[in-house]
Amino acid sequence: MSLSLADIKSASSDEALFKLLSAELNHRLPKSVHDNCDILVQAIRELPRGMRAMAAIYRLDVSMAMDDLGWHFFNFYHRGLCNETKLGLRELEALEVAEVFEQALAKIEPNWEKIGQLKEESPNAFADWYDSSDLRAALKPLNKRLWKICEASPQYGLMQFWLIYARKYPERVLENR
C-alpha cells in the first residue's frame, strides 16, 4: 500500500511519521538502485518533490552520524548526488545545512580529482591522505556546525527536516493521485 496524504496528516507522532516516510522511500527506492550512483540519482529524480528531497539528503545524514563531510564526499563521490543533496536541503528548507553543505562542496572542489584518484585506490589511501590534509582542517568548523544541527534532534539527525517538511507541506511529499 502506498503512502497517502491522509496517512501523513494523521501520523500521531514523529516516530509514526518517520516510519511512514521511511517505508515509502524504501518502497520507491529498492535496494537494487543503491549500488550504482548513476542509477540511484536517476531514481531519486523520478520521485515526487518531497520524496526526492528526503532521499537526496539521507546519505548526508548517515555520513554525519558515522564520519564527517570529508568522508561523505569520499563515500558518495558523485556530482549528480551532490547536486541532488544541495537541491534537497533547499527544498526541505534546511537552509543552514544547505549553506554548510555548499561551503563544504566549495572546499572539496579543488580536491575533487584527488579524492577520485584515492577512491580508485582504497579507503585506506583516502584515510592516510585526509587525516593530515588541509582539507580536513578546512572542513573542521563546518563539521562542528553540522554536528550541532544533528544534535538538536538526536533521534533523527538531519532527517528531522523530513518531519518538519511533511507536516508543513504534506501535499508536496506525494504525487497528485
Side-chain angles (χ1 to χ4, degrees):
M1 181 170 122
S2 292
L3 182 64
S4 71
L5 193 58
D7 293 333
I8 294 170
K9 290 180 176 180
S10 67
S12 59
S13 66
D14 284 349
E15 182 179 356
L17 180 56
F18 183 77
K19 285 181 180 179
L20 288 170
L21 296 170
S22 295
E24 184 69 11
L25 280 169
N26 287 332
H27 171 72
R28 289 176 179 254
L29 294 174
K31 290 183 181 188
S32 61
V33 304
H34 292 272
D35 293 336
N36 180 307
C37 282
D38 291 330
I39 294 169
L40 176 63
V41 167
Q42 184 57 41
I44 287 172
R45 288 178 177 157
E46 293 172 3
L47 294 173
R49 173 180 183 172
M51 287 271 124
R52 178 179 179 172
M54 292 173 193
I57 75 157
Y58 173 75
R59 280 149 199 79
L60 180 60
D61 178 76
V62 171
S63 292
M64 295 315 294
M66 304 294 288
D67 293 305
D68 70 2
L69 286 161
W71 277 99
H72 172 77
F73 289 103
F74 173 77
N75 289 325
F76 303 105
Y77 180 79
H78 191 274
R79 289 194 188 272
L81 192 54
C82 288
N83 190 53
E84 286 301 315
T85 303
K86 281 190 323 189
L87 295 172
L89 291 167
R90 296 256 173 227
E91 176 65 29
L92 295 175
E93 298 178 348
L95 301 181
E96 184 179 1
V97 181
E99 179 184 308
V100 169
F101 185 81
E102 289 167 13
Q103 289 175 10
L105 188 54
K107 294 183 183 308
I108 289 289
E109 191 58 42
N111 297 284
W112 188 263
E113 295 304 319
K114 176 72 171 174
I115 293 169
Q117 291 168 357
L118 294 168
K119 187 150 185 79
E120 292 293 319
E121 292 178 38
S122 73
N124 289 339
F126 176 76
D128 292 344
W129 173 79
Y130 181 62
D131 285 346
S132 61
S133 70
D134 291 341
L135 177 61
R136 184 172 186 200
L139 291 174
K140 188 174 183 176
L142 298 174
N143 284 321
K144 285 182 180 181
R145 279 180 66 194
L146 206 43
W147 285 324
K148 186 174 181 180
I149 293 167
C150 292
E151 289 168 4
S153 180
Q155 187 171 358
Y156 299 106
L158 295 179
M159 291 182 290
Q160 66 187 295
F161 295 101
W162 291 12
L163 304 172
I164 295 165
Y165 181 91
R167 293 197 191 286
K168 188 173 180 180
Y169 307 111
E171 69 284 351
R172 291 185 188 175
V173 174
L174 304 171
E175 296 167 325
N176 295 331
R177 296 178 193 204

